[in-house]
Amino acid sequence: MTWRTSLDQWLSQLTDEDLVKQDIYNMTDEKQLEDCFYKELEFGTGGMRGIIGPGTNRINIYTVRKVAFGLSQYIKEQGEEAMARGIAIAYDSRHMSKEFALEVAKTVGGEGIQVYLFEDLRPTPLLSFAVRYMYAFAGVMITASHNPPEYNGLKVYGQDGAQLPPEDADVVLGFMKSAGTRLITEVAGERELLANRILVYIGEKIDMAYKQALQAIQLNEEKPERDLSIIFTPLHGTGNIPVREGLENFGFTNVTVVKEQENPDPNFSTVKSPNPEESAAFEIAIEYGLRVDADVLLATDPDADRLGVAVKNDSGEYVVLTGNQIGALMLHFLLEQKEKNGWLPRNGVVMKTIVTSELGRAIASSFGVETIDTLTGFKFIAEKINEFEETKEKSFLFGYEESYGYLLGNFVRDKDSVQSAVFVAEVAAYYKSQGKSLYDGLQELYKKFGYYKEITCSITLEGKDGAEQIDAIVEGFRNEQPSALNDISVTNVEDYAKNESLDILSGTKTSLDLPISNVLKYKLEDGSWVCIRPSGTEPKCKFYFAVKGESVEDANIKLAALQDVVLHGVKS
């Protein structure tokens, strides 16, 4: 099917009064029209995410309804009990989030499935919690996470409160495809669903239950330095109220909120990108921090599942920590305190993704704790948590990924910036009680375990041509695998699309025992590694670089050299 055929099919099904049809007619750029209709927006284990606009390759009420239709058929297939348990729906502060949430509710509710819809915006971790707390069969979060303002999307959750695993996502996708090119133009009415109690609005009760559950991650209620000076910015998203209340309940009252970024704003007007991974997102928070000499700066992304942290270095300048560094600080404090208090289980386990620093493994090993790697995506960490709960084989302690996502309390099954914010405050208070900062604590970890350093780089290639170029880049590495990088031998090649690990020296191939994914990872003789994968949510090819040095300077040199040789090959 050509993009023009797809366009014509949409136009034939839409009324002249439909705003989506009017948006199509207002487009004069043929290349833009082609990009809107040349393919269907991908739905996978991360849900669906895209630019808001008309067409099969955009987020709009029709692409949202199609996902909701697929999900509703998936639930109906499970029987009446699943339909009665229903779904929970939440939404963030983005353009059209509230409208899309209601479209999901009307589509699913119209199929006779119980719907619980949050009355106002909520963060992603609260949606995950709500699914479990209410014993719902599924959940939907309307968000595009930390993407630019023109994006929106939705994440789909299973009954465990985790994003759908690949096999279940494939079932939903199959039902979506069964609808063919038909647009769902008729859905149930909100008033009708409310009158029949199929649609129920929720809110405060869930909030209170989450706050109570949050207390379980506090390790020491009487720890000193509760006057820790904290600057917090929700970056115009959903984190404002839950993070502030969480900090207050943990005893942290010296908290200043960045006023310019306190209220929800779908345009994220004070930042180029509402992403706490980027230093620029902290610009205003740093100004606040300098005025009051704050101990720590905290920032959450729009749906409040990611947390960024900035602290002063030895020169008195605020520096934004990486996700790997934040995770290492949290992990070490967690294990140290549990061991000190006799709470560290013998079968405890830490989980991280394949692109997350090996510093975490070194820290866990020093406490006799096992570390397990998963594919990128917190759903895979959640999947392991579920497995261990059933088998009782291992006890979950901590899960994290380099992209600023962390989880301590498994009452949530996705990364949770509310948990992370209050726990980072705990860690900072602990170091302050010793006359140290979080930065000092990080340097201590490096001195003890080695100078691990990592960086992630992305090449952005938009549109149909860009998607083809991204595929070509990955396939290029797959077909012409390097034997050495910077004169350092490649010892192992992991191809997650083939589910195999190749030992270069022996030629032995072993199974990776992980789900299939279009990811390549090269391990080098000196312990460095490089990982390459297409982004599942943005038009980017992502490159992950990691080294271990004898000093900060040594690690920086190694990292720059590794980055240059790989990216030079791509650009050339």
Side-chain angles (χ1 to χ4, degrees):
M1 182 186 300
T2 68
W3 70 268
R4 289 187 181 278
T5 303
S6 181
L7 168 62
D8 290 340
Q9 288 178 342
W10 270 55
L11 292 175
S12 68
Q13 296 180 68
L14 300 174
T15 65
D16 290 339
E17 294 76 25
D18 195 305
L19 294 178
V20 173
K21 191 170 189 176
Q22 293 176 29
D23 287 341
I24 294 172
Y25 282 139
N26 287 334
M27 286 188 182
T28 57
D29 186 338
E30 186 170 291
K31 195 69 176 175
Q32 185 182 15
L33 269 175
E34 179 185 13
D35 192 52
C36 287
F37 285 94
Y38 85 93
K39 69 170 185 176
E40 291 195 1
L41 201 59
E42 292 183 9
F43 175 85
T45 57
M48 189 168 73
R49 198 179 300 182
I51 297 171
I52 301 170
T56 57
N57 192 34
R58 293 290 187 268
I59 285 287
N60 50 67
I61 64 169
Y62 297 109
T63 50
V64 167
R65 285 176 182 175
K66 194 166 187 176
V67 175
F69 168 79
L71 178 60
S72 66
Q73 302 311 300
Y74 165 75
I75 296 172
K76 288 172 71 174
E77 190 178 57
Q78 312 306 312
E80 291 185 3
E81 181 189 359
M83 295 174 65
R85 289 169 59 185
I87 72 167
I89 305 171
Y91 59 92
D92 70 2
S93 57
R94 288 182 173 273
H95 289 292
M96 298 294 292
S97 281
K98 185 175 184 178
E99 291 85 348
F100 290 158
L102 188 57
E103 291 299 329
V104 173
K106 293 190 295 184
T107 304
V108 175
E111 296 289 328
I113 297 168
Q114 183 66 50
V115 178
Y116 301 100
L117 175 61
F118 274 99
E119 59 197 355
D120 199 356
L121 57 83
R122 291 296 191 285
T124 286
L126 205 62
L127 182 276
S128 174
F129 176 81
V131 171
R132 297 176 58 80
Y133 179 79
M134 301 190 70
Y135 194 55
F137 191 79
V140 172
M141 178 71 198
I142 306 295
T143 181
S145 189
H146 57 287
N147 281 51
E150 62 269 23
Y151 280 77
N152 211 330
L154 66 171
K155 301 175 182 177
V156 181
Y157 291 76
Q159 59 184 317
D160 58 356
Q163 291 184 48
L164 286 184
E167 56 271 20
D168 291 326
D170 286 344
V171 175
V172 173
L173 179 59
F175 282 119
M176 290 168 59
K177 289 181 177 179
S178 72
T181 59
R182 175 178 65 90
L183 299 183
I184 301 173
T185 55
E186 298 291 336
V187 294
E190 180 185 7
R191 290 184 179 179
E192 172 193 351
L193 294 175
L194 286 169
N196 293 324
R197 298 291 296 170
I198 292 176
L199 171 60
V200 176
Y201 280 100
I202 58 174
E204 185 176 356
K205 182 180 178 181
I206 310 297
D207 298 339
M208 294 301 295
Y210 176 85
K211 289 178 197 175
Q212 185 175 1
L214 189 63
Q215 294 298 315
I217 71 169
Q218 191 167 29
L219 295 180
N220 190 341
E221 296 179 4
E222 299 179 358
K223 197 168 292 158
E225 303 299 344
R226 309 311 277 192
D227 65 337
L228 186 81
S229 176
I230 300 171
I231 303 296
F232 168 58
T233 171
L235 295 178
H236 303 295
T238 61
N240 182 33
I241 294 175
V243 170
R244 290 169 67 178
E245 289 182 345
L247 289 168
E248 184 177 359
N249 290 339
F250 271 51
F252 296 105
T253 56
N254 188 7
V255 179
T256 303
V257 179
V258 176
K259 289 295 182 184
E260 296 89 335
Q261 299 169 336
E262 178 179 7
N263 295 321
D265 174 8
N267 293 317
F268 310 111
S269 52
T270 65
V271 291
K272 291 181 179 178
S273 172
N275 186 355
E277 297 181 57
E278 299 178 8
S279 298
F282 277 88
E283 285 182 359
I284 300 178
I286 288 173
E287 293 175 6
Y288 273 65
L290 290 171
R291 286 202 290 266
V292 300
D293 192 28
D295 296 303
V296 62
L297 318 181
L298 306 175
T300 54
D301 70 340
D303 66 322
D305 61 352
R306 299 171 190 249
L307 175 77
V309 178
V311 293
K312 280 187 176 180
N313 61 15
D314 293 335
S315 301
E317 299 174 332
Y318 284 105
V319 292
V320 178
L321 302 182
T322 69
N324 286 313
Q325 292 170 333
I326 298 167
L329 284 162
M330 294 172 71
L331 175 59
H332 187 267
F333 177 73
L334 175 74
L335 298 182
E336 184 180 61
Q337 294 301 306
K338 282 186 174 291
E339 184 179 66
K340 177 181 177 181
N341 292 298
W343 300 337
L344 191 61
R346 292 183 178 179
N347 65 343
V349 64
V350 170
M351 285 179 278
K352 70 178 188 66
T353 66
I354 59 173
V355 295
T356 300
S357 174
E358 289 298 300
L359 175 57
R361 192 185 310 277
I363 292 171
S365 179
S366 72
F367 289 92
V369 172
E370 180 186 3
T371 300
I372 295 177
D373 284 344
T374 71
L375 287 180
T376 305
F378 228 87
K379 56 189 165 290
F380 297 111
I381 292 177
E383 199 171 36
K384 281 292 183 183
I385 296 174
N386 296 336
E387 176 188 325
F388 298 149
E389 277 194 345
E390 292 176 3
T391 64
K392 310 297 182 184
E393 179 185 353
K394 301 180 188 297
S395 297
F396 169 75
L397 293 172
F398 186 64
Y400 75 116
E401 57 186 6
E402 50 74 40
S403 55
Y404 291 66
Y406 327 93
L407 182 67
L408 297 108
N410 64 6
F411 50 88
V412 169
R413 294 295 165 89
D414 205 344
K415 48 188 177 284
D416 185 345
S417 74
V418 184
Q419 288 189 36
S420 305
V422 297
F423 197 77
V424 165
E426 288 278 291
V427 182
Y430 166 77
Y431 280 114
K432 187 173 182 180
S433 70
Q434 299 177 332
K436 302 174 185 177
S437 68
L438 274 180
Y439 186 83
D440 295 328
L442 181 62
Q443 304 316 305
E444 289 180 356
L445 293 184
Y446 284 147
K447 289 176 183 177
K448 183 174 182 179
F449 297 104
Y451 292 86
Y452 291 81
K453 186 153 189 180
E454 303 82 20
I455 192 170
T456 303
C457 302
S458 298
I459 296 177
T460 301
L461 298 163
E462 297 181 336
K464 179 182 178 182
D465 294 341
E468 292 173 351
Q469 290 177 61
I470 290 172
D471 289 340
I473 289 171
V474 179
E475 283 305 305
F477 277 94
R478 179 170 283 121
N479 296 330
E480 299 181 19
Q481 294 177 351
S483 59
L485 295 170
N486 275 346
D487 297 325
I488 301 171
S489 297
V490 175
T491 59
N492 190 275
V493 178
E494 296 177 347
D495 190 334
Y496 292 83
K498 298 178 180 178
N499 194 30
E500 69 178 27
S501 175
L502 172 64
D503 185 301
I504 300 297
L505 186 61
S506 67
T508 304
K509 293 181 179 180
T510 56
S511 172
L512 290 166
D513 196 28
L514 287 172
I516 298 297
S517 184
N518 189 19
V519 181
L520 291 169
K521 187 172 184 179
Y522 302 101
K523 295 182 177 179
L524 278 61
E525 194 172 27
D526 67 346
S528 303
W529 54 264
V530 178
C531 195
I532 306 163
R533 74 176 184 92
S535 171
T537 56
E538 298 174 276
K540 295 179 178 180
C541 188
K542 304 191 79 171
F543 294 81
Y544 303 82
F545 303 93
V547 300
K548 180 183 178 183
E550 298 296 326
S551 64
V552 172
E553 295 76 15
D554 182 44
N556 286 337
I557 292 170
K558 283 185 174 181
L559 190 64
L562 186 60
Q563 182 181 349
D564 286 346
V565 71
V566 173
L567 293 183
H568 176 75
V570 173
K571 294 173 182 177
S572 61

